[in-house]
Amino acid sequence: MSANSRTEAASGPAPTQPPGETSGLKKIVAASMVGTVVEWYEFFLYATAASLVFATVFFPNAGSQLDGIIAAFLTYAVGFIARPLGGIVFGQIGDRLGRKHTLQVTIILVGVATFLMGCLPGFDSIGYWAPALLVALRFIQGFAVGGEWGGAVLLVAEHSPNQSRGFWSSWPQSAVPVGNLLATLVLLTMSWVLPADQFLSWGWRVAFWLSAIIVVVGYYIRTHVSEAPIFLEARAQVEADKAANYGVLEVVRKYPKGILGAMGLRFAENILYYIIVSFSIVYLVTVHEYNTSSLLLALLIAHVVHFLVIPQVGRLSDRVGRKPVYLAGALLGSTWAFFAFPMFDTQNPALIVLSITIGLCFHALMYAGQPAIMAEMFPTRMRYSGVSLGYQVTSILAGSLAPIIATALLKEYDSWLPVAFYVAAACAVTLVAVVTLKETRGISLREIDKVDAQKHGLTPAGSL
């Protein structure tokens, strides 16, 4: 694709969508969001429980409170390790059979695993079988979530108009704080109505059991969506043209720079998020013995703001470009820990809420535009595999290790300052990645497919 055609696509007037098309797109967004809410309610429920409960229930023999939390976070990391595998498997299936069917499978898998977590006896009942079973279920949960994100965002991105793809595809991202908000709300309610001993013994389990209800709702809604026309065209191309391959191996061979670019974009965003929503809990509870209910309430408020901000940032990326918005997020994110932890140290509830909220707003500047940017990196025939691989592999190096590294740094140096430098270094990596990317605002996904076909000697997808 020429530079001129990219510029025209990016700067031309936004097409007016017929009301019927807008209504259909809203249904696609709703179907994508509801499943993502379910998936991330369950995934982040584990993160919060790992910070507050699992060290006591499953790892009571750890040498100290921080050692128990580190052990719990190690089981948390298992889910991140499983996510790339899920991304590879479901990416392959999604590029071949479709986004819709893949999303139906992932929501069932993660729902069953999460419900069973709530049924697990603790270490005092079955010994080391308790953490072993927890790890096994965590792996299944992570495997399913690994296939969820790519399908959910692409279902929307591939239905969206070129000029507003950033806005529409940011909505599945906003479902993440909704899922986190619901998980926090349920745990907050249980911590309010139950004494501490009852919350630790069985109250936390209720949040895991409730997942069964919303899984059924999410699955039902996802049965009523359709595949994007551009995906159906690409699938026909693969079936008709023997040279047109798809899947993980193909995207690694043909678009390695795209995968590395996606990983670079993801690195700081993922680390910053888990420092904010997971390690902040550890810091306030262990260093200041901050009240659990007050802390969960602070997170609740911050998640609401995060949800409201993400679509507006997506809209901004359509207006001013993907790169300027993402650069702002990485630059501001590098400063967050240096002022947030002193605000935590005041133990002032208002300042704690403000610091967490500001951090999530900085995060939104990177997170909102990811679906559009990553979708615009790959042709349709291998897009699911490409975005899933770049997004999920980074989770092992970034999000899975962030709470563990931060907790270990706190234990070793008894200071938040090394954690702040860790976050700043991660943001520097992402800054480099963003600078090297091409601006893709307003680009046509069909034009990307056309360029891919010309480059590799394939029959253009839309001509079959």
Side-chain angles (χ1 to χ4, degrees), residues 44-56 65-66 68-70 72-73 75-76 187 199-200 274 276-283 285-286 292 295-296 299 403 407:
F44 288 127
L45 181 62
Y46 191 104
T48 307
S51 302
L52 299 177
V53 177
F54 285 174
T56 302
Q65 184 181 12
L66 284 177
I69 292 172
I70 290 173
F73 276 141
T75 67
Y76 182 55
L187 288 172
F199 177 75
L200 284 174
Y274 284 100
I276 295 170
V277 303
S278 292
F279 179 72
S280 294
I281 297 175
V282 174
Y283 183 81
V285 170
T286 60
T292 299
L295 182 52
L296 289 172
L299 286 171
T407 304

Side-chain angles (χ1 to χ4, degrees), residues 201-377:
S201 64
W202 64 269
W204 63 272
R205 299 177 183 274
V206 174
F208 286 80
W209 294 335
L210 286 175
S211 65
I213 299 173
I214 47 181
V215 162
V216 172
V217 175
Y219 180 84
Y220 173 78
I221 293 177
R222 283 190 168 176
T223 61
H224 291 77
V225 299
S226 58
E227 299 287 359
I230 193 172
F231 167 75
L232 298 177
E233 293 169 6
R235 185 169 64 179
Q237 175 197 39
V238 171
E239 292 174 351
D241 194 335
K242 294 181 180 180
N245 294 320
Y246 62 92
V248 173
L249 293 178
E250 181 74 356
V251 77
V252 169
R253 285 196 300 264
K254 301 294 176 60
Y255 291 90
K257 290 184 179 179
I259 294 173
L260 291 175
M263 293 177 68
L265 292 175
R266 176 82 163 134
F267 191 70
E269 171 270 309
N270 202 217
I271 287 176
L272 178 64
Y273 188 79
Y274 284 100
I275 294 297
I276 295 170
V277 303
S278 292
F279 179 72
S280 294
I281 297 175
V282 174
Y283 183 81
L284 287 165
V285 170
T286 60
V287 174
H288 296 299
E289 298 182 352
Y290 197 74
N291 179 267
T292 299
S293 295
S294 298
L295 182 52
L296 289 172
L297 181 60
L299 286 171
L300 191 72
I301 295 170
H303 292 323
V304 172
V305 176
H306 199 209
F307 165 73
L308 296 174
V309 167
I310 286 175
Q312 302 313 314
V313 175
R315 191 190 300 274
L316 184 65
S317 76
D318 287 323
R319 292 178 177 174
V320 304
R322 317 291 191 221
K323 289 181 64 172
V325 175
Y326 218 105
L327 282 169
L331 285 169
L332 292 171
S334 68
T335 69
W336 175 80
F338 290 100
F339 65 79
F341 284 97
M343 293 171 76
F344 291 159
D345 289 339
T346 67
Q347 299 186 57
N348 182 303
L351 290 180
I352 290 173
V353 171
L354 182 62
S355 62
I356 294 174
T357 302
I358 291 173
L360 289 180
C361 288
F362 290 171
H363 171 264
L365 291 170
M366 294 184 279
Y367 195 58
Q370 278 183 4
I373 298 173
M374 293 187 187
E376 291 158 358
M377 288 179 172

Side-chain angles (χ1 to χ4, degrees), residues 105-253:
V105 174
T106 58
I107 196 172
I108 293 297
L109 273 180
V110 76
V112 170
T114 306
F115 182 84
L116 291 177
M117 282 179 185
C119 301
L120 283 180
F123 187 91
D124 292 341
S125 299
I126 59 173
Y128 287 102
W129 277 107
L133 291 171
L134 182 67
V135 168
L137 291 174
R138 176 63 176 166
F139 185 90
I140 295 171
Q141 189 188 54
F143 180 80
V145 171
E148 160 66 25
W149 183 83
V153 299
L154 292 184
L155 195 65
V156 177
E158 292 176 345
H159 277 91
S160 300
N162 298 331
Q163 301 300 325
S164 55
R165 186 177 299 115
F167 171 71
W168 288 109
S169 62
S170 70
W171 279 99
Q173 302 290 74
S174 69
V176 175
V178 173
N180 205 348
L181 187 153
L182 290 176
T184 305
L185 182 61
V186 171
L187 288 172
L188 177 63
T189 302
M190 299 308 296
S191 70
W192 275 345
V193 302
L194 293 175
D197 59 334
Q198 292 186 32
F199 177 75
L200 284 174
S201 64
W202 64 269
W204 63 272
R205 299 177 183 274
V206 174
F208 286 80
W209 294 335
L210 286 175
S211 65
I213 299 173
I214 47 181
V215 162
V216 172
V217 175
Y219 180 84
Y220 173 78
I221 293 177
R222 283 190 168 176
T223 61
H224 291 77
V225 299
S226 58
E227 299 287 359
I230 193 172
F231 167 75
L232 298 177
E233 293 169 6
R235 185 169 64 179
Q237 175 197 39
V238 171
E239 292 174 351
D241 194 335
K242 294 181 180 180
N245 294 320
Y246 62 92
V248 173
L249 293 178
E250 181 74 356
V251 77
V252 169
R253 285 196 300 264

